[in-house]
Amino acid sequence: MDSGANPQRGNRSVAQRARFFSFRRPSWPVILRVRDRHNLKNYIQLNLRLLYWILIAPFTGQFFKIAPIFRQMVFIGVRAAPMVALTAFSVGVTLAMQAAHSLKELGAEMYIPDLVMLTLLREMGPVLIAVIVIGRSGSAVAAELGTMKVSEEIEALEVMAINPIQYLVVPRFLAMLVMLPALTIFGNYIGVFGGWAVCTFALDFNTAGYVLRALESADTWDLYSGMIKSAVFAWIVITIACNAGLHVEGGAEGVGQATTASVVQALLAMLVVNAVLTGIFFFAA
């Protein structure tokens, strides 16, 4: 009798335990939400520590070194200049040719310099150059810091009483904050030059007329709005890259995943912020 009743009772208890543990097992959406909340917390803490080391620490005698900033400016900005120049020139040529195709039917070819100048200053210059910097410099920063994290070099800095934020993040942050607007100005000049090449050699514009028309169409605020966007993009790109690199887990595979995640997150954040800033400038004007 006992041998006949016990299997059913045992099966029932096993099924109940299985249902109990199945309810207790966290689902993937819950895990992802917890991970995203943790990443957001790390990102906010990184920004607060950056502000402390840049704005408050120098007044307490804790200065950051200048030489690493210039090294990072060369790495982040100067070495990216050829890619920026090629991209900006291609965009300027493409804008001029597309505008010429559409405006020629309306007899409004004289407005091609206006379109090239305003589009580069307001939108295409800051956005496309930020994309180039994200793909080249942002990913490199995330991979470099991630490799240092995996090889325990960051822990070694902490053992030597060197703050990783002050030593590693602050120079990269300041270098990006300087070089991305500088690259944007450089790219704007190259893009306008690309438009000039099309207008001069294909549309019979003279140089003086092209330059005069382009300068008359642009306002000072057009340049300022692009510089504001570039500065905000620089902040977003470098903080996302540094946050991804400083919190790498899982060895070499984790470095690759963190680098990919930093590029994707920086691109999405940059595009969303660009839309928000464009809306603010549009309604403020």
Side-chain angles (χ1 to χ4, degrees):
M1 295 294 292
D2 294 338
S3 61
N6 287 336
Q8 295 180 355
R9 193 174 300 168
N11 292 336
R12 190 180 301 113
S13 62
V14 170
Q16 290 175 353
R17 285 198 298 268
R19 285 197 299 269
F20 174 76
F21 285 111
S22 65
F23 287 125
R24 295 293 298 272
R25 185 183 301 126
S27 60
W28 278 109
V30 174
I31 295 175
L32 292 176
R33 284 198 298 269
V34 172
R35 186 177 300 172
D36 292 341
R37 199 176 300 127
H38 183 66
N39 291 336
L40 180 60
K41 179 182 177 181
N42 291 334
Y43 182 74
I44 294 174
Q45 289 178 348
L46 175 64
N47 281 272
L48 293 177
R49 291 174 182 174
L50 267 175
L51 293 175
Y52 169 79
W53 285 108
I54 294 173
L55 300 178
I56 300 177
F59 295 99
T60 62
Q62 297 173 309
F63 297 98
F64 48 83
K65 296 181 180 180
I66 303 298
I69 298 176
F70 284 100
R71 283 197 295 268
Q72 292 301 322
M73 288 172 66
V74 172
F75 174 74
I76 290 173
V78 176
R79 295 182 182 177
M83 298 176 61
V84 168
L86 180 60
T87 302
F89 183 81
S90 302
V91 169
V93 169
T94 304
L95 284 174
M97 289 189 295
Q98 294 290 351
H101 178 74
S102 301
L103 295 178
K104 190 174 183 180
E105 299 177 356
L106 304 174
E109 291 180 336
M110 62 178 295
Y111 294 107
I112 295 175
D114 304 51
L115 187 143
V116 173
M117 188 71 156
L118 293 177
T119 305
L120 285 172
L121 288 179
R122 293 179 181 178
E123 288 297 327
M124 299 297 288
V127 171
L128 286 179
I129 293 170
V131 170
I132 295 298
V133 172
I134 288 171
R136 187 209 170 274
S137 303
S139 61
V141 168
E144 183 181 6
L145 294 181
T147 304
M148 295 179 67
K149 176 70 174 180
V150 170
S151 60
E152 298 182 353
E153 294 181 32
I154 295 179
E155 286 78 1
L157 290 175
E158 294 175 348
V159 169
M160 293 186 293
I162 298 175
N163 189 281
I165 303 298
Q166 181 191 19
Y167 187 77
L168 298 175
V169 179
V170 170
R172 290 167 172 81
F173 176 82
L174 294 177
M176 180 69 78
L177 209 61
V178 172
M179 292 309 297
L180 185 54
L183 287 174
T184 301
I185 295 175
F186 173 69
N188 289 337
Y189 277 107
I190 300 298
V192 172
F193 175 74
W196 167 86
V198 173
C199 291
T200 302
F201 297 108
L203 302 175
D204 296 329
F205 271 68
N206 57 32
T207 302
Y210 178 86
V211 173
L212 184 62
R213 187 73 196 177
L215 292 177
E216 287 179 349
S217 64
D219 192 4
T220 307
W221 175 246
D222 297 325
L223 176 62
Y224 290 164
S225 63
M227 292 300 99
I228 293 173
K229 286 184 178 182
S230 295
V232 175
F233 295 164
W235 187 302
I236 293 172
V237 170
I238 196 62
T239 51
I240 290 178
C242 291
N243 183 63
L246 290 175
H247 298 93
V248 168
E249 296 177 354
E253 183 180 359
V255 174
Q257 293 175 353
T259 303
T260 304
S262 70
V263 172
V264 174
Q265 292 171 5
L267 284 173
L268 292 177
M270 184 267 295
L271 293 175
V272 171
V273 170
N274 177 65
V276 172
L277 290 176
T278 301
I280 293 174
F281 296 153
F282 176 78
F283 289 108

